Amino acid sequence: MALLEVKNLKTYFHTRAGSVKAVDNVSFKLGKGEVLGLAGESGCGKTTTCLSIMQMIDFPGEIMEGQIIYENAFEVITENPSKSFRDRIFNRNVENKKRTKNLLEFSEAEMRSIRGNHISMVFQGAMNALNPVHRVGNQIQEVLNIHEPELEKDEAWDKVIDILETVGIDSVRARDYPHQLSGGMKQRALIAMALVNNPDIVIADEPVTALDVIVQAQVLKATKELQRKFDLSMIMITHDLSVIAEVCETLAIMYAGKLVEYGDLRTLFKEPFHPYTQALINAFPSIAGPKKDLYDIGGFPPDLRNPPSGCRFHPRCSKAMPICSKKEPSNTPIKNGYVACWLYEEEEKRK
Amino acid sequence: MGLRGYIAKKLFFAAVAFFVAITIVFFLYHVIPGNPANIFATDRTVNPDQRDALLERWGLNEPLWKQYGIFLRNLFQGDLGFSYLQKMPVTDVIGESLPWTLLLLGTSFVLNAVIGIFLGAFVAWRRGSKLDTGFVLTYNFYNAIPLFFVGMLFIALFSFYVRKWGWGFYFPAYGAQTAGSSEWGFFPRLVDILWHLALPLTVLTIAGILGWSWFMRGNLINILTEDYIKTARAKGLNENQVLYKHAFRNAILPVVTNIGMSIGGLIGGAVLIETVFSYPGTGRMLYEALIRHDYPLVQGAFIIISGLTLLGLLIAEIIYGFIDPRIRTE
Amino acid sequence: MTSSEISDYSSIRLMRMAGFSFLGLAIIFVVLEIIVVFFGELSYLSIITSLLLSLSVVILVLSLRKVALQTPSIRRNVIIASSWLIGYIFLTIISETFFVFLILQVAAFVIGLISMLVRIISFTQLNNTFKRLSKIGYNLDSQIFLLYGWFAVLSTVALIVSVYTLNLTVIIAVVITTVVGEISLLFAVGYKLIQNSNAIKDIFEGVQKRFLDDRPELEDHENIVVEAVNLEKLFPVISGFFESIFSIERIKNTGRATAKYFSSIFSKERTKTIKELTREYFGKVFEEREKLFVHAVDDVSFRIHKRETFGLVGESGCGKSTTGLLLLYLLESTGGKIFFKGLDSSELSVRELKEVRRYIQIIFQNPYESLSPRFSILDIIAEPLRLLNIETDEAKIEEKVKEELESVGLIPAEDFIDRFPHELSGGQRQRVGVARAFILDPEFIVADEPVSMLDVSIRVGVLKIMRQLTLDRGTAFLFITHDLALARVMCDRIAVMYLGRIVEQGPTEELIQKPIHPYAKALIAGVPKPDPDAKRTEELPIIGEVPSGIDVPAGCRFNPRCPFAIDKCKIYDPKLEEVEENHLVACLRYKEINDM
Ligand SMILES: Nc1ncnc2c1ncn2[C@@H]1O[C@H](COP(=O)(O)OP(=O)(O)OP(=O)(O)O)[C@@H](O)[C@H]1O
Ligand SMILES: Nc1ncnc2c1ncn2[C@@H]1O[C@H](COP(=O)(O)OP(=O)(O)OP(=O)(O)O)[C@@H](O)[C@H]1O
Ligand code: SF4
Ligand code: SF4
Ligand SMILES: [Mg+2]
Ligand SMILES: [Mg+2]
């Protein structure tokens, strides 16, 4: 049973020069305790996908259609009625009527009770993601204050200390301000903030990209341990395949707003199906083993306002066939996942 | 260094700055033409005994550095000298006018700060709306007009024309209270003072509010695009909480730094406004003393003004230390 | 003093002159105010002040010419500010002249107001200039300028207006209120400038002495594109305005040293001569000053040959970018020399430097900050062409820009040239930066993390273009990165930096397969591998993070984190030693650690 299921999600940005189809028909599942790596080139819609799940798409973006089914959603409505007076008035009848697991049908107030509580997110660019004028501990405690107002102050603080120690920050640092922490510690503090209220799902957007290797290794190790300890479900966004190789179990590859391949990490790394995934893995330089030469994917990233017809990868694909530019491939099941490529569709469909 | 050390440091610096300021004031008014000793010697209205006593007490026949020592000693004892024009100690003269200035400045400052900051936050929150555009236009328009001109306009409108047009209500154009009002009861007197305060205060405050809120608006608009605002939203905070807990405090920091600057402006404004409205404050007293060469009074007033300015700066720095941890923990 | 030293000093002297002229201005201002107050003489007051003010600013700008005017964005800013300033003076003079004639007074009033507006603009521009300057290492407080500009404007407006009331009391009231503020702000500006020039001078002097002692002989001019010799960059860390007047820490230490100095001079059982003691004393006082600097780059030497890509790797903050900026003359080094094709950069005239800069380009680390938000992509890429007057025909410029855009994968180019940076993704911005660097066909490029914001698919394209340039035209690269896997693919030689020093340097494969320095070992072990089965080394021997560059650990800089550190490491600072051919290491214990 999947904990989170994204079905046919479409998120567009309506710009002056036309709609940017940043996320176009993306579907995937995330099971309990699963770590999903979301990889793809810059601008392919990774961050937008996750912001859509959180429903934090700002103007001029809009979620056009799709479903985001969150298994524990019922629990949310009954257990956590909206808090402010105004919200309560506005949501009274909504609550009675709507009992859906689809987050996209939730009101803004209901989404607020999900954010930070059930699904939390660590943003790209940790260096500025903490408010400079509040103590780190207090910023973490804030999550508890919002979502568990009945908790005593001392208890909440104890929890904060607990979680900080779990991510490997000494408890005395809880009273420090962000500028007193180093980059790696800030990143850990952000992870602690995401974890403090025992969320079901943590979305981490490029959590270690800004850090250097030594600190990166430390943070990733801590993350992996925590994930195992709390049996967390995680979505890890990165364009660094080696980071994914280190922590993830499932791999989803995005290309131009579409999910082109999705499946078990080990299988995909050994034997990638989609030509783009193959190219991506080949293009990655490695420090181990003999020196490989640079492998060029060739071509250029597509313009998301007017994406190529058919398979979006066809202008760059070395195995492109005539049909590729005409018709969009559908998802062909593979082991634990699927791939969207004409190479693997059945013969008769191809005609 | 903790907060206490930070405050101690600031106090120390403020004291040093104050010392430098009074030194400059002292020497400045002893090198300009028409120095105090001459004036005492030639002024016939001062009676000879009193003159000698004054020359003695202030060592006015001594060399300058000695006078400086005496000046410091007397200052320490709370003696700022003797105003030969008003025929009473400078402390008394200032003591009479200072409360009025403080009333004017203090009220204006508090109103500026509170209303300015919240107005700024509000228009920033609604940026791009008609309200915001209106605010920007008003700010630019009002800023282009000199302060005392506004003052004169206000007098003409609310004190002169209002009466000419036969409206029942007007504001007084000069003074801080009605003559003889000291015998009235507490409330009538309070109303009288507020009535006199209304026009100068309004003129001074409008400019201040616009300045403050303009500054605040700019800051907040910048802050709202920061990453930590996104983080705050992802925690599940609602918009109000995001605004007041996370954005507001950061946006207010530069505003606090600007307090020192605004105090200087406020005092300048007060001199102008007090002159235009004939308000019996220290500012008006200062320029009267100047044109009539009453040096002890000028000197005293400058000392008070620099003291006030430094005090304001000090308070601003301390507040800054409270709200910005980066400053005090470095 | 040789001519090159003079050119170093002249900027300092000019900056100090600007500072003093601001102080002088403050004093003249007092005098003028007094004249106004006591003699009611007002004509031409504004003319004099504005002229003096502009003079001070001009001197200031001149003092910055060596660095500031070499940076296009700053130069543009300075030009804008100066033209506004000229406009301001012009308007003021007209207004003051008109003022004498009764009929023209209204016009004079209006022009006076306009000139005030212009003054605000010019000071805002100055403020912008100073903000940019502080980005490239100048420690100037731009806010003071802005503050001064506004204050002066407000007070002068009040003054002019009050003059028209023909009411002496009002005039005096205005003058009094402005005089205190104006003087103190002028004073602050002047003080700040002098203080800065002092700080810079100290650094210069200290380093110049050291440099003159050991300048190695050059060899093989032809092949070496860039050579850095004992390069050093200290960033002064000056906190606030008050604090910089005297830091309590500094006073305390100086006081302690002074007390000790005198007590030992007068003590009976003195062992050292007074001369020795004095030298010691000044050494100590100087040492306290040293602490106020960030040692961003400290004694770094290397050579980059034609067709070579030299990699600089290390943790964040170790001084990689600073080294790059130094090589480009975007930062003035505080020590050491840089030779470009055998030419000593400090001996070049401004014009020659400009000529040289044509052949040196940079690709910046952060595409979000390095592209000016108000320029279109066309303007950004064409900027070097236009600035250096290489191409004047707009159609040809556009042609060339399009070509360059396509070569970095921004296709179709027509679609991009009119866009602004904020309309591009991070990766796209970075490619614009690459295109800008390539458009002049440079001989040497500093690539500061050129692809860290790009994903692999585009990354490879950009890297291949860079390599192609190396092969076709012999372009040399300084390739700055923290990604060793990337360095392995791109570089011929690699230098590993730690806290401003090179700790190991050698041919790429040799260094990566067989690192010798403990830090290099850890760095290479820490690199993640794109293979789920090959896990990273489980236990990383290195703990903690890089200490700050202000309190550099004594002895070997790596000793607080080094698993092999012994007592000796806390005392002796290891020098780079050649352990194999072309392979240099700075570690006291490399033999024991590596069984050599
Ligand atoms: N506010 C916006 N207005 C217009 N277009 C936008 C906006 N935000 C994002 N986009 C576009 O949506 C697409 C997807 O952006 P997104 O931030 O999700 O990419 P990403 O995969 O996270 O890339 P990166 O790895 O660079 O962070 C991009 O092409 C981008 O240009
Ligand atoms: N303008 C400046 N003023 C003061 N200190 C500075 C300045 N610029 C850089 N530094 C300091 O110099 C040191 C080296 O900085 P530099 O930018 O060269 O590091 P880097 O190796 O490029 O790091 P990164 O990988 O993060 O880019 C740092 O400690 C930094 O704080
Ligand atoms: S569908 Fe065709 S073009 Fe697309 S990836 Fe598969 S083979 Fe390549
Ligand atoms: S010198 Fe000592 S501390 Fe430095 S790297 Fe070598 S063993 Fe470690
Ligand atoms: Mg992203
Ligand atoms: Mg750098």
Side-chain angles (χ1 to χ4, degrees):
Chain A
M1 187 81 222
L3 182 61
L4 181 81
E5 186 171 1
V6 175
K7 282 188 195 163
N8 305 331
L9 181 69
K10 285 188 183 170
T11 306
Y12 295 174
F13 289 96
H14 304 293
T15 62
R16 253 182 304 144
S19 291
V20 177
K21 300 174 184 70
V23 178
D24 205 5
N25 232 341
V26 164
S27 314
F28 62 86
K29 288 179 187 165
L30 180 70
K32 180 95 190 112
E34 184 182 334
V35 186
L36 170 71
L38 193 54
E41 60 194 1
S42 146
C44 68
K46 306 181 295 288
T47 305
T48 311
T49 305
C50 293
L51 285 177
S52 304
I53 296 174
M54 300 286 283
Q55 284 186 48
M56 282 175 62
I57 299 286
D58 280 333
F59 181 81
E62 193 190 345
I63 300 176
M64 306 299 286
E65 57 175 89
Q67 287 181 321
I68 297 170
I69 312 290
Y70 174 47
E71 246 341 284
N72 298 348
F74 275 126
E75 211 184 305
V76 175
I77 298 181
T78 44
E79 180 195 273
N80 234 328
S82 4
K83 259 147 235 117
S84 92
F85 180 66
R86 206 166 63 197
D87 291 344
R88 228 176 295 156
I89 294 176
F90 286 134
N91 296 330
R92 195 175 289 145
N93 37 16
V94 180
E95 256 177 60
N96 296 341
K97 257 199 322 210
K98 210 171 50 185
R99 296 235 148 199
T100 166
K101 295 178 175 180
N102 183 1
L103 295 184
L104 293 183
E105 287 171 30
F106 278 32
S107 72
E108 171 61 20
E110 286 160 345
M111 269 320 291
R112 276 206 294 273
S113 65
I114 297 233
R115 284 181 209 137
N117 193 13
H118 293 250
I119 307 179
S120 51
M121 184 153 177
V122 179
F123 283 97
Q124 213 164 350
M127 297 308 148
N128 308 317
L130 287 167
N131 192 331
V133 300
H134 294 295
R135 289 177 202 280
V136 173
N138 292 353
Q139 290 190 51
I140 299 173
Q141 199 188 348
E142 196 178 17
V143 182
L144 295 171
N145 295 347
I146 305 164
H147 298 294
E148 297 191 12
E150 66 284 346
L151 209 65
E152 292 287 321
K153 267 213 165 133
D154 295 348
E155 285 177 81
W157 187 254
D158 287 346
K159 269 190 150 180
V160 170
I161 299 281
D162 251 20
I163 196 79
L164 277 177
E165 272 172 0
T166 328
V167 296
I169 296 180
D170 194 24
S171 59
V172 291
R173 304 306 292 260
R175 293 205 171 274
D176 278 1
Y177 290 94
H179 73 274
Q180 292 167 303
L181 304 184
S182 67
M185 283 161 104
K186 274 188 217 168
Q187 191 64 62
R188 284 162 195 256
L190 277 172
I191 292 170
M193 187 187 290
L195 292 181
V196 67
N197 207 16
N198 292 328
D200 291 335
I201 301 170
V202 173
I203 302 172
D205 191 354
E206 311 265 9
V208 290
T209 310
L211 306 174
D212 44 70
V213 267
I214 293 182
V215 183
Q216 198 178 63
Q218 292 168 355
V219 169
L220 280 184
K221 206 171 140 218
T223 313
K224 187 77 200 158
E225 280 168 12
L226 287 171
Q227 188 270 332
R228 285 208 190 104
K229 188 168 160 194
F230 295 115
D231 198 21
L232 280 175
S233 307
M234 280 187 86
I235 301 179
M236 174 86 84
I237 306 178
T238 175
H239 60 248
D240 191 343
L241 280 182
S242 43
V243 168
I244 287 187
E246 187 141 333
V247 280
C248 300
E249 288 142 26
T250 328
L251 177 63
I253 304 282
M254 269 187 99
Y255 183 79
K258 298 226 175 241
L259 217 59
V260 293
E261 182 154 17
Y262 170 73
D264 179 58
L265 176 89
R266 244 160 245 275
T267 333
L268 287 191
F269 257 84
K270 284 216 186 75
E271 197 190 329
F273 287 87
H274 198 279
Y276 177 63
T277 316
Q278 292 167 358
L280 205 61
I281 291 176
N282 272 336
F284 219 85
S286 168
I287 197 144
K291 185 170 174 173
K292 275 192 302 187
D293 196 30
L294 288 172
Y295 174 83
D296 194 354
I297 296 182
F300 304 101
D303 174 8
L304 287 185
R305 278 177 299 204
N306 307 301
S309 59
C311 170
R312 292 188 176 179
F313 189 53
H314 82 257
R316 302 169 75 181
C317 182
S318 53
K319 296 178 185 152
M321 302 168 279
I323 192 173
C324 298
S325 56
K326 292 185 198 107
K327 248 173 101 187
E328 212 183 307
S330 56
N331 296 342
T332 314
I334 48 167
K335 190 187 165 197
N336 298 328
Y338 62 79
V339 55
C341 173
W342 280 115
L343 287 177
Y344 307 98
E345 298 239 352
E346 294 149 41
E347 282 300 318
E348 46 309 352
K349 252 193 186 173
R350 244 194 264 178
K351 280 154 198 165
Chain B
M1 185 173 52
L3 192 55
R4 218 175 294 159
Y6 171 80
I7 293 176
K9 198 166 102 188
K10 291 293 159 195
L11 269 174
F12 176 70
F13 284 134
V16 173
F18 183 64
F19 179 74
V20 173
I22 57 175
T23 309
I24 290 176
V25 169
F26 174 83
F27 284 103
L28 203 59
Y29 286 92
H30 278 78
V31 292
I32 52 179
N35 78 54
N38 293 342
I39 286 176
F40 275 109
T42 52
D43 191 343
R44 286 172 206 295
T45 58
V46 180
N47 98 30
D49 293 343
Q50 206 182 358
R51 180 193 303 157
D52 289 344
L54 276 173
L55 288 179
E56 177 74 19
R57 170 140 178 77
W58 289 88
L60 289 180
N61 295 323
E62 307 273 354
L64 199 57
W65 61 270
K66 236 178 190 172
Q67 283 187 37
Y68 179 60
I70 294 169
F71 163 76
L72 284 185
R73 190 196 65 207
N74 288 345
L75 185 70
F76 197 64
Q77 292 166 355
D79 182 355
L80 288 176
F82 192 85
S83 162
Y84 59 87
L85 217 111
Q86 312 258 2
K87 307 283 182 301
M88 49 176 170
V90 169
T91 32
D92 290 1
V93 184
I94 291 178
E96 245 170 47
S97 62
L98 195 60
W100 295 117
T101 296
L102 286 184
L103 179 69
L104 185 60
L105 285 189
T107 326
S108 172
F109 183 77
V110 172
L111 287 177
N112 282 349
V114 176
I115 302 179
I117 286 173
F118 281 93
L119 182 67
F122 190 70
V123 283
W125 195 235
R126 308 270 305 266
R127 64 190 174 285
S129 67
K130 286 213 179 74
L131 183 91
D132 184 35
T133 323
F135 171 77
V136 173
L137 287 177
T138 320
Y139 171 78
N140 286 320
F141 180 70
Y142 197 88
N143 244 20
I145 311 174
L147 197 58
F148 74 90
F149 182 75
V150 181
M152 288 173 172
L153 198 74
F154 267 57
I155 292 183
L157 268 180
F158 295 106
S159 170
F160 180 71
Y161 279 109
V162 172
R163 271 188 278 183
K164 199 174 156 198
W165 295 331
W167 293 16
F169 194 73
Y170 71 97
F171 287 98
Y174 54 84
Q177 52 189 336
T178 314
S181 65
S182 47
E183 278 140 44
W184 302 355
F186 176 72
F187 277 106
R189 213 178 148 203
L190 186 70
V191 171
D192 183 53
I193 289 175
L194 288 181
W195 187 51
H196 280 84
L197 191 64
L199 276 193
L201 185 66
T202 314
V203 176
L204 205 53
T205 308
I206 292 178
I209 287 179
L210 287 176
W212 282 66
S213 44
W214 177 261
F215 200 50
M216 181 71 189
R217 171 182 176 273
N219 293 334
L220 201 61
I221 285 178
N222 274 342
I223 297 281
L224 284 173
T225 61
E226 293 276 341
D227 280 343
Y228 51 77
I229 299 296
K230 229 197 248 168
T231 310
R233 290 206 176 112
K235 279 184 200 171
L237 267 70
N238 66 35
E239 290 299 298
N240 276 339
Q241 287 167 321
V242 171
L243 180 64
Y244 288 105
K245 277 189 97 163
H246 289 269
F248 202 70
R249 196 160 155 185
N250 282 294
I252 227 170
L253 280 173
V255 179
V256 172
T257 337
N258 232 32
I259 285 181
M261 191 53 205
S262 72
I263 282 178
L266 208 58
I267 290 177
V271 175
L272 276 176
I273 291 303
E274 284 177 10
T275 318
V276 173
F277 285 91
S278 306
Y279 203 77
T282 314
R284 201 184 61 142
M285 183 213 73
L286 171 64
Y287 97 88
E288 269 178 10
L290 248 165
I291 45 177
R292 294 162 80 176
H293 295 235
D294 187 351
Y295 288 105
L297 195 51
V298 172
Q299 189 178 288
F302 265 125
I303 290 171
I304 296 291
I305 287 177
S306 45
L308 281 182
T309 312
L310 283 170
L311 188 70
L313 274 171
L314 180 69
I315 292 172
E317 296 238 14
I318 290 175
I319 294 176
Y320 201 99
F322 265 106
I323 48 185
D324 190 356
R326 279 166 299 189
I327 293 289
R328 73 182 118 97
T329 46
E330 239 149 45
Chain C
M1 234 188 283
T2 68
S3 64
S4 68
E5 282 163 53
I6 290 172
S7 75
D8 275 349
Y9 277 108
S10 63
S11 70
I12 299 163
R13 209 178 296 139
L14 276 167
M15 188 188 277
R16 186 175 304 182
M17 247 165 81
F20 277 118
S21 69
F22 268 95
L23 290 189
L25 193 60
I27 293 163
I28 291 169
F29 201 83
V30 178
V31 175
L32 286 176
E33 297 291 354
I34 290 169
I35 296 174
V36 172
V37 173
F38 292 99
F39 306 104
E41 184 61 55
L42 201 81
S43 305
Y44 302 107
L45 165 69
S46 314
I47 297 181
I48 299 170
T49 26
S50 60
L51 276 177
L52 282 170
L53 187 65
S54 317
L55 189 69
S56 317
V57 174
V58 167
I59 298 176
L60 179 67
V61 168
L62 279 180
S63 77
L64 300 170
R65 71 185 196 291
K66 225 182 153 197
V67 176
L69 302 188
Q70 293 305 319
T71 313
S73 61
I74 293 177
R75 179 169 47 202
R76 191 175 318 110
N77 244 317
V78 167
I79 292 173
I80 294 172
S82 322
S83 29
W84 281 107
L85 214 60
I86 292 169
Y88 159 66
I89 303 167
F90 185 66
L91 287 174
T92 313
I93 292 176
I94 294 184
S95 145
E96 292 294 323
T97 323
F98 279 9
F99 176 69
V100 184
F101 308 104
L102 212 64
I103 335 160
L104 292 176
Q105 282 204 349
V106 176
F109 179 69
V110 174
I111 294 174
L113 282 184
I114 295 174
S115 87
M116 286 300 105
L117 211 71
V118 174
R119 184 167 170 178
I120 297 179
I121 297 171
S122 65
F123 271 84
T124 314
Q125 286 299 339
L126 264 181
N127 178 46
N128 288 344
T129 311
F130 277 72
K131 262 198 209 135
R132 276 167 195 271
L133 276 176
S134 62
K135 276 210 181 129
I136 61 168
Y138 274 86
N139 218 307
L140 289 165
D141 205 337
S142 60
Q143 287 302 327
I144 284 190
F145 252 95
L146 198 60
L147 224 64
Y148 173 66
W150 276 100
F151 193 90
V153 165
L154 290 180
S155 58
T156 321
V157 169
L159 198 71
I160 291 181
V161 176
S162 64
V163 168
Y164 286 89
T165 64
L166 293 177
N167 179 344
L168 186 64
T169 53
V170 175
I171 297 174
I172 292 180
V174 172
V175 169
I176 302 286
T177 48
T178 56
V179 78
V180 176
E182 186 127 4
I183 291 167
S184 55
L185 280 171
L186 275 175
F187 195 80
V189 173
Y191 180 79
K192 193 86 201 169
L193 287 173
I194 294 176
Q195 179 205 17
N196 259 292
S197 63
N198 282 342
I200 296 176
K201 183 174 156 266
D202 285 354
I203 302 170
F204 266 127
E205 277 181 348
V207 168
Q208 216 121 43
K209 260 187 231 109
R210 213 181 313 159
F211 169 71
L212 289 176
D213 296 341
D214 44 25
R215 173 180 161 175
E217 282 308 305
L218 272 183
E219 38 154 284
D220 198 9
H221 273 197
E222 283 308 296
N223 226 349
I224 298 173
V225 178
V226 168
E227 176 173 18
V229 180
N230 300 343
L231 214 53
E232 182 190 80
K233 178 69 192 175
L234 309 179
F235 286 109
V237 272
I238 299 172
S239 37
F241 177 61
F242 270 146
E243 283 78 355
S244 59
I245 294 178
F246 46 61
S247 98
I248 291 186
E249 192 64 19
R250 196 197 291 175
I251 289 194
K252 246 194 299 191
N253 288 321
T254 314
R256 224 176 271 150
T258 314
K260 206 169 156 220
Y261 172 62
F262 282 112
S263 67
S264 47
I265 281 183
F266 295 117
S267 78
K268 292 222 170 63
E269 55 272 13
R270 199 174 72 204
T271 47
K272 293 171 186 160
T273 65
I274 291 192
K275 204 171 165 191
E276 275 171 1
L277 279 171
T278 312
R279 193 176 300 146
E280 212 170 70
Y281 168 65
F282 281 112
K284 241 181 216 144
V285 173
F286 187 71
E287 194 178 82
E288 291 314 325
R289 291 208 53 140
E290 281 270 282
K291 266 199 180 160
L292 296 170
F293 297 111
V294 178
H295 299 245
V297 173
D298 199 352
D299 206 1
V300 163
S301 309
F302 53 80
R303 286 171 188 173
I304 302 175
H305 302 88
K306 234 182 199 163
R307 270 172 226 285
E308 187 183 40
T309 304
F310 185 74
L312 209 53
V313 299
E315 280 175 272
S316 168
C318 68
K320 307 183 294 291
S321 299
T322 310
T323 311
L325 292 178
L326 289 174
L327 291 188
L328 288 163
Y329 319 126
L330 280 176
L331 278 179
E332 224 161 330
S333 63
T334 49
K337 294 244 163 177
I338 301 157
F339 298 92
F340 178 71
K341 304 188 94 178
L343 296 170
D344 183 344
S345 70
S346 62
E347 277 169 10
L348 299 178
S349 72
V350 175
R351 219 209 234 124
E352 287 165 332
L353 208 59
K354 190 174 166 181
E355 193 58 33
V356 167
R357 285 177 57 88
R358 194 201 141 151
Y359 299 102
I360 310 178
Q361 291 294 323
I362 185 168
I363 303 168
F364 278 108
Q365 178 173 20
N366 187 346
Y368 292 89
E369 277 179 7
S370 58
L371 303 184
S372 160
R374 285 188 195 81
F375 276 32
S376 72
I377 301 305
L378 174 68
D379 288 335
I380 290 174
I381 299 179
E383 192 182 19
L385 286 180
R386 291 185 183 146
L387 278 178
L388 301 172
N389 287 328
I390 288 162
E391 187 68 72
T392 44
D393 182 3
E394 278 303 313
K396 272 192 191 150
I397 289 184
E398 195 171 322
E399 191 66 24
K400 217 165 169 191
V401 168
K402 275 186 194 159
E403 224 169 76
E404 215 54 66
L405 276 175
E406 271 162 24
S407 71
V408 293
L410 295 174
I411 288 181
E414 299 82 48
D415 208 32
F416 284 95
I417 52 177
D418 291 329
R419 288 212 217 173
F420 288 88
H422 67 91
E423 291 171 312
L424 302 179
S425 79
Q428 289 168 335
R429 285 183 219 210
Q430 189 63 318
R431 276 179 280 161
V432 171
V434 172
R436 174 171 63 181
F438 284 167
I439 199 156
L440 284 180
D441 292 346
E443 294 201 15
F444 174 56
I445 294 185
V446 173
D448 190 352
E449 314 251 11
V451 292
S452 67
M453 295 272 186
L454 306 186
D455 50 275
V456 257
S457 58
I458 314 161
R459 193 179 268 203
V460 174
V462 173
L463 295 176
K464 279 202 160 169
I465 294 171
M466 291 171 59
R467 245 220 230 139
Q468 203 54 46
L469 262 173
T470 321
L471 293 178
D472 293 352
R473 276 168 274 180
T475 315
F477 275 93
L478 176 71
F479 194 89
I480 298 174
T481 178
H482 61 254
D483 185 347
L484 267 159
L486 202 61
R488 182 183 185 196
V489 190
M490 286 302 291
C491 304
D492 303 311
R493 279 189 302 143
I494 293 181
V496 179
M497 265 184 104
Y498 185 77
L499 265 186
R501 283 266 172 92
I502 291 181
V503 293
E504 183 163 358
Q505 179 184 329
T508 305
E509 275 310 301
E510 200 178 314
L511 196 144
I512 286 190
Q513 304 289 355
K514 204 154 60 79
I516 295 176
H517 195 279
Y519 176 66
K521 280 177 192 279
L523 206 59
I524 287 162
V527 176
K529 292 158 194 75
D531 176 0
D533 295 320
K535 292 291 172 195
R536 256 187 241 220
T537 333
E538 270 305 315
E539 270 319 307
L540 274 166
I542 308 292
I543 28 147
E545 289 171 36
V546 195
S548 90
I550 301 176
D551 294 312
V552 179
C556 172
R557 302 185 168 202
F558 189 51
N559 83 64
R561 298 172 76 194
C562 180
F564 304 104
I566 50 173
D567 284 345
K568 192 169 77 170
C569 302
K570 298 194 176 96
I571 302 162
Y572 298 104
D573 192 359
K575 293 265 169 290
L576 270 180
E577 274 176 58
E578 191 152 17
V579 291
E580 275 159 40
E581 166 136 32
N582 279 330
H583 196 150
L584 310 171
V585 173
C587 171
L588 298 169
R589 299 187 65 202
Y590 73 90
K591 282 200 179 117
E592 298 139 66
I593 296 168
N594 295 287
D595 302 318
M596 281 164 90

